[in-house]
Amino acid sequence: MADDKLAQLLKTQKSLTEWLDDIQHKDAEAIRKEDNDKRERLKVLNEVIGLPFDKPTQFTAVELAEKSPAFTKYLSQHGQELCALRLIPRADGLPKLRMRGKTVAGAYEWFLEQNIEPAKYRADFIPHPPDYAWATIFVVNKNGIQGEIIWGGHHQLTQGFHDSKRPHIFRYDFAKWMISPSSVKALAHLKDLANFLHVADKSKQYQLKKQLGASFVNDFLEGYFETTDSSLGTWFIDYSPTLGKMYADMTITPPVAAGKKLISGLCACPGQASGKVRIVPSSGVDKDFPHGAVLVCAVTTPEFVPLMQKASAIVTDQGGILSHAAIVARELKKPCIVGTGNATKLLKNGQPVTVDAGAGTLSL
């Protein structure tokens, strides 16, 4: 995807909890709280099992607003370092605000422009690597360790916009690893990540169950995880038990080869549906989108939510199996195939098609 088009698409994106708000998900507020507290959970994992994470430097927003001595010292010492800044609400119902890629000094200027009550927010300054190597999203549950890994920025997986190469999908069923397309280096990195989550010490398992309500399968910590790897090291950047439970039935299989009458991709949400093709441009605007149509697009963005709710199935050129859009499709219980590469080019509006998302195929 061209850099300018990618940048434009990224500007349209929201956090996962905002996506869930759009579909009025019953657990949206609980997931928002879990997201706000994720680095507190990661801190516990770091203390108990040595899990590496993107440890933030934390202040109250009041300290930033008043330029407290502690914050002034931090700004003086780290002002030219790249960071991400998250403004975490300290009361229910308030939005989380965030930015990334600016220097600490630039982030502070951004903070001063926000219309918030400082007493109601915490400020987390998080290191921002100047480069990225591997990024992953995966789920650990009774079916194994499953997800995607890609070289480069983590946004490619959460948003589903791939800079160049598509992600590798992988699965470890607690006996054997599968990765497609094959990559020795990616597989080695995945095995290192899995080792961090293998907790053979039962006393540590008990401690994590008591402190975090954690659960384990075959001595691996269960849940949804995100990681990045860079010149600053390997970091876990999310651990969500709730999102992990949303994918309790997920089993990843390699994509099938497309035959003459098939379009193939990856299953983001299983199920079957038939309907007429409706190709929608990247703007997501289609006021006459018919109920029951098969939504076909380059990639879904938040603007597509009203169409996703009307569609019988969703098929995209790009996207990932654990992207925010894929999670929303699962919660809407819409059959969804992502990463076809060419569905918008091969299909025509009005064509009757059948989607078998579990198999990752669309037939004419």
Side-chain angles (χ1 to χ4, degrees):
M1 180 178 291
D3 290 345
D4 56 345
K5 187 176 182 180
L6 174 63
Q8 188 61 37
L9 282 170
L10 286 173
K11 289 180 181 179
T12 70
Q13 291 307 287
K14 301 178 182 179
S15 68
L16 175 59
T17 51
E18 290 173 307
W19 278 83
L20 295 176
D21 281 336
D22 286 346
I23 64 171
Q24 299 180 323
H25 192 279
K26 62 181 179 62
D27 294 326
E29 187 58 36
I31 293 171
R32 178 181 291 104
K33 186 177 187 308
E34 192 173 78
D35 182 61
N36 289 342
D37 295 338
K38 65 185 177 184
R39 284 182 177 81
E40 303 307 308
R41 291 193 304 279
L42 290 169
K43 180 180 179 181
V44 172
L45 295 179
N46 175 261
E47 293 171 346
V48 177
I49 60 174
L51 191 84
F53 78 113
D54 53 344
K55 184 178 180 180
T57 300
Q58 298 177 328
F59 299 94
T60 65
V62 171
E63 289 181 279
L64 272 66
E66 298 179 353
K67 291 197 74 171
S68 70
F71 174 67
T72 299
K73 181 179 179 180
Y74 174 75
L75 183 61
S76 174
Q77 293 177 341
H78 303 279
Q80 298 310 306
E81 296 176 7
L82 292 176
C83 74
L85 175 56
R86 289 164 58 97
L87 299 178
I88 310 297
R90 305 174 74 178
D92 293 340
L94 293 174
K96 176 180 65 180
L97 304 172
R98 58 186 179 178
M99 57 70 55
R100 64 173 56 248
K102 293 182 181 291
T103 63
V104 170
Y108 174 60
E109 293 299 321
W110 171 84
F111 163 79
L112 294 175
E113 297 170 356
Q114 306 310 304
N115 184 24
I116 63 169
E117 294 183 55
K120 295 183 178 180
Y121 280 86
R122 185 184 82 227
D124 285 9
F125 287 88
I126 302 160
H128 190 280
D131 57 358
Y132 285 99
W134 296 112
T136 73
I137 296 181
F138 60 92
V139 173
V140 181
N141 58 29
K142 61 181 173 50
N143 297 318
I145 302 175
Q146 308 175 74
E148 294 181 298
I149 180 170
I150 197 167
W151 185 268
H154 190 263
H155 66 274
Q156 297 176 98
L157 299 180
T158 56
Q159 309 303 342
F161 311 147
H162 309 140
D163 293 343
S164 54
K165 294 182 179 179
R166 294 168 64 177
H168 304 264
I169 63 167
F170 64 86
R171 182 184 177 205
Y172 174 56
D173 63 3
F174 303 123
K176 184 179 179 180
W177 285 91
M178 178 279 293
I179 183 167
S180 176
S182 179
S183 169
V184 173
K185 291 183 178 179
L187 185 57
H189 183 61
L190 292 170
K191 290 179 178 179
D192 288 341
L193 296 177
N195 286 336
F196 282 117
L197 301 176
H198 188 257
V199 186
D201 188 328
K202 301 299 181 183
S203 65
K204 291 183 178 180
Q205 287 192 21
Y206 175 78
Q207 189 174 350
L208 293 177
K209 289 176 182 179
K210 185 176 181 180
Q211 290 186 253
L212 300 176
S215 59
F216 295 84
V217 55
N218 286 8
D219 290 334
F220 285 93
L221 178 64
E222 289 189 282
Y224 166 99
F225 299 90
E226 297 179 3
T227 74
T228 61
D229 188 57
S230 72
S231 58
L232 299 182
T234 296
W235 291 335
F236 281 75
I237 62 173
D238 199 0
Y239 157 51
S240 169
T242 302
L243 288 179
K245 292 174 183 176
M246 288 185 180
Y247 279 84
D249 62 344
M250 183 174 76
T251 301
I252 290 176
T253 55
V256 300
K260 292 183 179 179
K261 295 185 178 181
L262 290 178
I263 288 172
S264 68
L266 294 170
C267 174
C269 179
Q272 297 181 341
S274 296
K276 293 184 178 181
V277 167
R278 184 75 165 197
I279 300 173
V280 179
S282 296
S283 65
V285 176
D286 188 341
K287 295 181 180 179
D288 299 318
F289 189 91
H291 280 275
V294 174
L295 170 60
V296 179
C297 57
V299 66
T300 48
T301 65
E303 285 73 23
F304 279 81
V305 167
L307 309 187
M308 295 169 74
Q309 292 171 319
K310 292 181 180 180
S312 61
I314 303 160
V315 180
T316 69
D317 290 345
Q318 294 206 50
I321 54 176
L322 287 169
S323 65
H324 293 170
I327 291 174
V328 169
R330 287 180 69 89
E331 293 310 297
L332 291 173
K333 295 179 172 55
K334 302 286 185 173
C336 181
I337 300 172
V338 298
T340 64
N342 55 8
T344 57
K345 293 181 176 63
L346 296 181
L347 297 173
K348 297 179 180 179
N349 277 319
Q351 277 184 306
V353 296
T354 297
V355 175
D356 184 351
T361 62
L362 178 150
S363 57
L364 305 179

